[in-house]
Amino acid sequence: MSLKYAIIGCGRISPNHIAAAIENELDIVALCDVVPENMKDKISTFNLPETTPQYTDYKELLEKEKPELIAICTESGNHGSIALDCIEAGANLIIEKPIALSLEEADQIIEKAKEKNVKVSACHQNRFNKSILKIREAVEEERFGRLLHGTAHIRWNRGEDYYKHAPWRGTWEQDGGALMNQCIHNIDLLRWMMGDEITEVVGMTDNLKHDFIEAEDLGLALIKFANGSYGVVEGTTNIYPTNLEETLYIFGDKGTVKAGGKSVNIIEEWLFADNLDNAEEVKEKYQENPPNVYGFGHNPLYADVIDAIKNDREPYVTAEDGRRALELVLAIYKSAAEGKSVKLPLEKCSTTDFKGRYDR
């Protein structure tokens, strides 16, 4: 029996979700978007039945269709409130990143999902990259020895057209800036690989050349992990003239790894003291060449969530994982705004705390 599936939000990222739903043989019972043309476009693109129900009100969808799995792909600022309504209705969720824009909402999602016994997965699909799964395996097998430091670089370009196309982007109310929107995937990977628990963050952010948005186009951070290792984040949408790279480095006293490519989908360095494998063979075997920065991770993420629902287990990427990525971005924002280091864990923080930060 395939699960009844619906998607709320049919914008830029929705094709990846719909394609994954089809590939995983979900029963697509409804689409939802406040712009009817967005739904019509997806029905045409994916040759869905023209009779597929289309809703502009997600609450009506919940009531009439009672989907078992929902993907939330709306503006980031609406993720939290929509998720809570969907969980209340008994639906399992895949929530596009970020899971919410406030820690309070993220915590409510986690608590309510437990209460209602539904599965919630944060859509950090790059965790399913072949390259990333291989690096994670090396971390879990402790091949790096003592972890020393790791770095996440997101050197991308976003021009004015990108923001004009969807005016919610770059606002504190609905999005945040480069770190929250473009960089959170790699920030998630860095935190995950380096031990998850963080004690302290020092950040600097600025808006250097995007005076048409409210939030940052550059973010830099130093991170101290509880295990004694360190992290560095460099994220920007200012790279001339187009996206340059997204890279993740992990350095241990017995291993060095670099993942690169469009969405950290290629292993560029693979050096371990144990010599358990051939570096060139690993690079060849664990590389992918996706057509865009979204990579190929949505399909396996969907497969995992479906299996988690059917077997009543936690998804590979949990709501708690989504909260951790959100917390780190918010900690960088907080440190930059206050001009001092921030101790973790954070209990309360939201993008809206930083309204007016770059007002000119």
Side-chain angles (χ1 to χ4, degrees), residues 32-266:
C32 181
D33 198 288
V34 293
V35 180
E37 289 72 26
N38 287 348
M39 294 185 279
K40 288 183 173 63
D41 173 65
K42 301 310 174 293
I43 283 173
S44 168
T45 300
F46 289 97
N47 292 316
L48 298 174
E50 289 188 11
T51 54
T52 303
Q54 300 168 52
Y55 293 88
T56 54
D57 181 350
Y58 74 89
K59 291 182 180 177
E60 188 184 352
L61 181 159
L62 291 174
E63 190 180 319
K64 290 186 177 174
E65 305 297 338
K66 297 183 169 43
E68 296 161 284
L69 176 59
I70 298 173
I72 298 175
C73 304
T74 62
E75 302 91 333
S76 301
N78 293 333
H79 289 179
S81 57
I82 294 173
L84 291 169
D85 287 335
C86 292
I87 294 167
E88 183 64 40
N92 301 281
L93 296 179
I94 294 170
I95 307 176
E96 252 306 327
K97 56 77 190 165
I99 190 169
L101 290 182
S102 76
L103 293 175
E104 294 95 318
E105 277 193 327
D107 287 334
Q108 287 169 10
I109 290 168
I110 291 164
E111 286 162 25
K112 200 170 191 66
K114 285 176 183 166
E115 179 191 318
K116 293 288 185 178
N117 194 30
V118 299
K119 310 303 175 191
V120 177
S121 180
C123 195
H124 289 293
Q125 77 275 0
N126 286 353
R127 288 196 183 198
F128 289 91
N129 290 2
K130 288 181 183 177
S131 54
I132 295 304
L133 288 169
K134 184 63 177 170
I135 295 167
R136 180 64 187 180
E137 179 183 76
V139 169
E140 290 176 356
E141 292 174 354
E142 299 183 352
R143 293 183 65 190
F144 285 94
R146 180 187 168 201
L147 288 170
L148 302 174
H149 88 282
T151 70
H153 307 280
I154 308 91
R155 295 161 174 158
W156 285 359
N157 172 284
R158 290 292 183 275
E160 191 165 1
D161 287 351
Y162 171 82
Y163 296 96
K164 278 185 174 172
H165 182 72
W168 60 271
R169 293 178 184 147
T171 66
W172 290 116
E173 193 80 44
Q174 291 290 338
D175 186 16
L179 292 181
M180 189 66 81
N181 191 323
Q182 285 74 35
C183 307
I184 196 168
H185 283 301
N186 211 10
I187 286 170
D188 165 64
L189 295 179
L190 179 69
R191 179 164 190 173
W192 186 45
M193 295 294 187
M194 298 304 293
D196 264 334
E197 298 312 314
I198 294 171
T199 58
E200 189 175 4
V201 173
V202 179
M204 287 191 177
T205 62
D206 208 338
N207 183 318
L208 297 175
K209 61 185 293 286
H210 288 69
D211 56 6
F212 42 85
I213 68 170
E214 295 174 2
E216 87 288 349
D217 58 19
L218 173 71
L220 306 166
L222 295 173
I223 301 150
K224 185 168 186 181
F225 290 92
N227 60 14
S229 66
Y230 291 83
V232 176
V233 170
E234 173 204 340
T236 182
T237 48
N238 292 332
I239 299 302
Y240 174 85
T242 56
N243 289 352
L244 179 63
E245 63 183 346
E246 180 178 10
T247 59
L248 177 73
Y249 290 84
I250 308 292
F251 301 109
D253 64 356
K254 293 180 181 174
T256 291
V257 166
K258 176 189 178 186
K262 281 183 175 155
S263 51
V264 288
N265 47 306
I266 297 167

Side-chain angles (χ1 to χ4, degrees), residues 276-332:
L276 288 178
D277 39 29
N278 179 292
E280 295 311 311
E281 287 177 7
V282 169
K283 290 178 196 176
E284 181 64 32
K285 186 175 180 182
Y286 295 97
Q287 66 163 314
E288 297 166 291
N289 185 27
N292 54 47
V293 296
Y294 302 131
F296 294 124
H298 287 86
N299 190 21
L301 184 139
Y302 267 67
D304 173 75
V305 171
I306 293 164
D307 185 73
I309 294 165
K310 290 182 174 175
N311 292 296
D312 193 22
R313 63 165 175 83
E314 282 296 289
Y316 189 65
V317 190
T318 63
E320 286 87 350
D321 292 325
R323 187 199 188 278
R324 278 190 278 268
L326 171 67
E327 179 190 43
L328 179 47
V329 174
L330 290 174
I332 297 169

